[in-house]
Amino acid sequence: MIKAEWFYWLVGLIFLVMAVQMLRDRTNPKRYGTAAFWGLLGLGFVYGTWVADKSAPAEPLGAAVLAMVCLAGFGFTGRGRGTAATPEQREASAARWGGRLFVPALTIPVVALLCAVGVKRLSVGGEPVLQKGSETILGLGIGAVVALVVGMVMLREKKLSAPLHAGRSMLESMGWAMLLPQLLATLGTIFSVSGVGEQVRRITTAVLPDHSLYVAVAVYCVGMFLFTVVMGNGFAAFPVMTAAVGWPVLVVQEHGSAPAVLAIGMLAGFCGTLVTPMAANFNVVPAALLELKDQYGPIKAQLPTAVALLGCNIVIMALFAF
Amino acid sequence: MIVLLGVLVVVLGFATRRNPLLVVGAAGIVTGLLGGLSPQRVLAAFGTGFASSRAVTIFVITLPVIGLLERHGLQEQARRIVTRFAGLTAGRFLALYLLLRQIAAAVGLNNVFGHAQTVRPLAAPMAEGAAERRLGPLPEKAREKVRSFAASADNVGLFFGEDVFLAVGSILLITGFVNTTYQTHLEPLDLALWAIPTALCALAVHGWRLLRLDRTLERAVAADREEAVK
């Protein structure tokens, strides 16, 4: 059985190899801090396997995470000049290889697609080939590995260090943004363990006026939206807002259709995800990946859509759920 | 009430544009300690949180091959190829991407598209290429705008497509939470059906805004030229 953990180890290994490359990169004025950050990240990916199955203590990993936060947060990381090809070289190469360059690039989505619809159903000796529940991650991982092989063969690139160097300069330009999504997931857990949700529920119930259906619909949707903005994803907001307003008021008291109320409530939360830097993997990491000067560029592009769709959700729920 | 100080730390930190890692790290420590966790448990929470959320960073696995291809001119080729299609503007191209992304997500193919695997190497340069063909070299601001909208097309398509699919996390979260908390029985299918009206609204609203992007770019380029003349 192909397991998700194998690919986490592979990602960890990639980080570690890149950390060694960074350590030896004299064009980077902060090479020690940079190498330490990515090295810790790589080790954390591997060690995380045993933290996730609870066979190793989580505290050392927590300390490593805080060390990474300090390294990147206080500016001990930087980037080398890299050995990127000049625009002229890239143009010449594009002219030489032409449309064939798309073959490895499209291999990733095609293999991911095949894994998601085909390989998922295969099993050998009664055991599924792909670990159950992780098929989409595995599809992406397998697709990337296959694409790398296809790309290296096609481009006649013999040294594995070439793609790693190329990937490293992308990582260095993203920097701290890489760690943010995982750190935010942690914050979400701490918020729920510490009872932040319960406090928000109390406040919402206190401001909710009695017996006004449309106000309650708006409070549920806007509450999902705002809570999601604060927490970074709708999953944390949903149980809290549903326990406060969605179920007791909209479903039980006003006899709303439960599937409609809850599905649309969740989508109101998704509107919040579009506008919050807390949803770093959707909003901040892409800004870094696309090398935008304004790290809030994607959020600004999404803000009007998010507000309009929040309005749509309120109207759809008010019209069709009761 | 006092645990809400952690939320305040986040809001203030982002508002004053401190480094987000420090903001989130500090908020986690503050909230954990105020919520009555021992320092050791706060440390453990950071460890388990990191370990169980490694899936969001899995896209790194695509970077070596994407980097290799980009060195060999993948983005340049992506730009070049769209210029062959007359009538394909940046806005129309991104609206098409939005539609494809949404359909793929609606049938459960979330990882087929994504910021690392399709937006950076393909969609963003193609949109830029289409805009450049019509308007000439883009000023910095216009280029940022095209890229930001490319990212937004991916996000909107994913968020408002995936809930139409039955087995997606958010649908299962709803049924799981409601069925256990209120001893009732909700079917994933009913929830997925109720995601369709909003999905259509999302396609209409964001698709329309993407189509309008062409006009915004025209104006930005014209304004930039005027500035240059002065």
Side-chain angles (χ1 to χ4, degrees):
Chain A
M1 183 167 68
I2 302 175
K3 291 188 178 139
E5 290 296 340
W6 296 0
F7 287 94
Y8 294 145
W9 294 342
L10 187 57
V11 171
L13 188 68
I14 292 175
F15 282 141
L16 285 171
V17 172
M18 288 178 177
V20 173
Q21 290 179 339
M22 287 164 188
L23 191 64
R24 291 160 61 183
D25 180 0
R26 287 175 195 282
T27 62
N28 183 352
K30 296 172 177 171
R31 61 192 171 118
Y32 295 110
T34 316
F37 178 83
W38 297 103
L40 278 174
L41 193 56
L43 290 175
F45 254 76
V46 179
Y47 184 74
T49 301
W50 292 281
V51 173
D53 70 12
K54 298 198 170 65
S55 60
E59 288 85 359
L61 185 57
V65 170
L66 292 182
M68 283 185 260
V69 167
C70 291
L71 279 170
F74 292 113
F76 291 107
T77 57
R79 56 184 300 193
R81 272 201 303 277
T83 49
T86 63
E88 292 74 30
Q89 283 170 326
R90 290 201 304 265
E91 282 290 350
S93 173
R96 178 174 167 214
W97 295 102
R100 279 178 290 170
L101 283 170
F102 293 123
V103 174
L106 293 174
T107 300
I108 304 176
V110 169
V111 172
L113 181 78
L114 289 178
C115 286
V117 298
V119 184
K120 187 180 171 180
R121 296 202 180 82
L122 293 182
S123 54
V124 176
E127 220 182 50
V129 174
L130 302 179
Q131 186 183 355
K132 218 172 166 308
S134 305
E135 290 93 349
T136 56
I137 288 174
L138 291 172
L140 185 67
I142 297 169
V145 173
V146 174
L148 183 61
V149 174
V150 171
M152 287 182 70
V153 170
M154 190 188 88
L155 297 165
R156 292 183 206 115
E157 181 62 69
K158 290 196 185 65
K159 281 184 294 186
L160 196 57
S161 58
L164 285 171
H165 270 295
R168 171 172 70 101
S169 37
M170 285 168 79
L171 267 193
E172 280 179 327
S173 67
M174 293 171 67
W176 54 261
M178 283 288 317
L179 183 61
L180 191 56
Q182 283 182 262
L183 199 59
L184 283 163
T186 309
L187 183 63
T189 333
I190 294 180
F191 273 0
S192 58
V193 176
S194 311
V196 170
E198 175 58 25
Q199 293 298 338
V200 173
R201 189 189 67 77
R202 263 192 231 163
I203 295 173
T204 320
T205 327
V207 299
L208 187 68
D210 290 337
H211 304 298
S212 166
L213 173 62
Y214 296 112
V215 175
V217 168
V219 166
Y220 183 48
C221 290
V222 175
M224 277 296 296
F225 179 88
L226 290 179
F227 205 147
T228 304
V229 167
V230 171
M231 301 290 278
N233 75 61
F235 290 17
F238 182 79
V240 175
M241 288 308 299
T242 301
V245 188
W247 192 265
V249 179
L250 295 178
V251 175
V252 175
Q253 200 179 309
E254 304 285 349
H255 309 291
S257 142
V261 168
L262 303 174
I264 298 168
M266 182 61 108
L267 290 166
F270 284 12
C271 298
T273 319
L274 287 175
V275 298
T276 176
M278 297 289 286
N281 50 331
F282 297 115
N283 297 328
V284 180
V285 169
L289 259 178
L290 294 169
E291 289 159 25
L292 298 182
K293 292 218 167 58
D294 181 4
Q295 68 177 66
Y296 295 133
I299 292 181
K300 286 177 189 160
Q302 286 158 191
L303 182 65
T305 302
V307 173
L309 288 180
L310 177 62
C312 290
N313 281 320
I314 295 175
V315 171
I316 293 171
M317 193 188 293
L319 288 182
F320 299 114
F322 299 93
Chain B
M1 276 322 256
I2 197 150
V3 292
L4 290 179
L5 279 177
V7 178
L8 193 68
V9 170
V10 173
V11 174
L12 284 180
F14 275 115
T16 54
R17 296 189 166 233
R18 307 264 166 207
N19 180 291
L21 284 187
L22 290 178
V23 172
V24 176
I29 295 171
V30 168
T31 311
L33 294 179
L34 291 178
L37 300 185
S38 68
Q40 196 195 351
R41 279 195 62 197
V42 172
L43 210 54
F46 274 99
T48 38
F50 177 90
S52 56
S53 63
R54 285 171 295 159
V56 288
T57 314
I58 198 87
F59 72 89
V60 167
I61 213 163
T62 63
L63 295 187
V65 62
I66 299 291
L68 178 72
L69 294 171
E70 287 193 353
R71 250 176 221 206
H72 284 87
L74 178 65
Q75 290 203 359
E76 284 70 15
Q77 182 61 24
R79 266 191 210 126
R80 192 184 302 203
I81 204 154
V82 279
T83 56
R84 291 196 201 141
F85 298 96
L88 193 61
T89 63
R92 285 179 201 163
F93 171 76
L94 288 178
L96 189 67
Y97 182 87
L98 169 71
L99 178 69
L100 286 177
R101 177 63 157 142
Q102 207 172 8
I103 292 173
V107 293
L109 301 171
N110 282 357
N111 277 336
V112 169
F113 296 82
H115 293 288
Q117 61 267 44
T118 49
V119 177
R120 171 176 164 136
L122 301 171
M126 282 181 168
E128 272 178 49
E132 276 168 352
R133 190 179 62 92
R134 236 161 52 96
L135 305 167
L138 296 178
E140 180 72 32
K141 263 200 176 155
R143 185 175 302 279
E144 290 243 329
K145 191 147 227 159
V146 175
R147 290 186 184 177
S148 298
F149 271 87
S152 77
D154 196 271
N155 283 336
V156 174
L158 171 66
F159 292 1
F160 297 98
E162 64 171 10
D163 259 20
V164 179
F165 185 63
L166 303 180
V168 77
S170 49
I171 295 281
L172 299 178
L173 176 95
I174 298 177
T175 52
F177 172 75
V178 175
N179 291 351
T180 49
T181 316
Y182 303 112
Q183 281 83 42
T184 159
H185 188 75
L186 284 187
E187 279 295 327
L189 181 64
D190 294 331
L191 290 161
L193 285 177
W194 278 107
I196 293 175
T198 308
L200 294 176
C201 290
L203 183 64
V205 170
H206 206 62
W208 180 73
R209 288 193 59 227
L210 287 169
L211 294 176
R212 299 247 321 168
L213 175 66
D214 292 326
R215 227 180 295 167
T216 321
L217 290 176
E218 260 167 45
R219 250 178 272 145
V221 172
D224 187 68
R225 294 233 170 94
E226 246 166 65
E227 199 101 326
V229 171
K230 278 179 201 163

